[in-house]
Amino acid sequence: QVQLVESGGGLVQPGGSLRLSCAASGRIFSIYAMAWYRQAPGKQRELVAHITSGGSQNYPDSVKGRFTISRDNAKNTVYLQMASLKPEDTAVYYCNAAVQVVGTVFVNEYWGQGTQVTVSS
């Protein structure tokens, strides 16, 4: 029903910046809450950024002040701007879409295939 395709990953030096993009299919992109998750080898998948259909943003302390999530509903695209990158940011980054129905309950969850981000000198 919804397809998500991430792009923009790659190799970057510590302190550098990258912008990830997630392109979504469908004409009802605007109703979805969007999020970026990441998973490093041997670790659990963790939320790194979230944006509601209304534009409200949320970040964990590990990336707050360095990462920024944004969306362009006209282009069916969500972005993750990453700055001051650290080696511990190395992970596969995944795009997520879901519909918020009540509180923190979400339905119709979709995932992208992931894009690798490697921070190394």
Side-chain angles (χ1 to χ4, degrees):
Q1 189 172 8
V2 175
Q3 289 187 334
L4 305 173
V5 181
E6 301 98 331
S7 62
L11 176 64
V12 63
Q13 293 184 348
S17 299
L18 280 176
R19 188 181 75 162
L20 305 183
S21 298
C22 174
S25 66
R27 65 182 184 91
I28 55 172
F29 173 80
S30 62
I31 74 171
Y32 286 91
M34 303 296 298
W36 288 94
Y37 288 76
R38 69 185 181 190
Q39 187 165 26
K43 295 185 177 181
Q44 293 182 311
R45 186 172 297 187
E46 65 172 333
L47 176 72
V48 296
H50 183 269
I51 186 167
T52 68
S53 60
S56 297
Q57 303 162 42
N58 189 40
Y59 308 91
D61 290 341
S62 59
V63 307
K64 199 169 188 177
R66 300 189 298 119
F67 290 11
T68 302
I69 189 170
S70 61
R71 65 192 299 158
D72 186 339
N73 290 340
K75 296 182 178 180
N76 282 12
T77 302
V78 63
Y79 304 95
L80 183 67
Q81 181 67 51
M82 304 183 293
S84 302
L85 285 163
K86 307 173 181 179
E88 51 262 46
D89 294 319
T90 296
V92 177
Y93 284 71
Y94 297 91
C95 183
N96 171 273
V99 176
Q100 185 177 12
V101 291
V102 59
T104 58
V105 178
F106 295 84
V107 298
N108 300 121
E109 189 173 53
Y110 300 92
W111 292 91
Q113 82 289 344
T115 185
Q116 176 72 48
V117 173
T118 302
V119 184
S120 177
S121 58

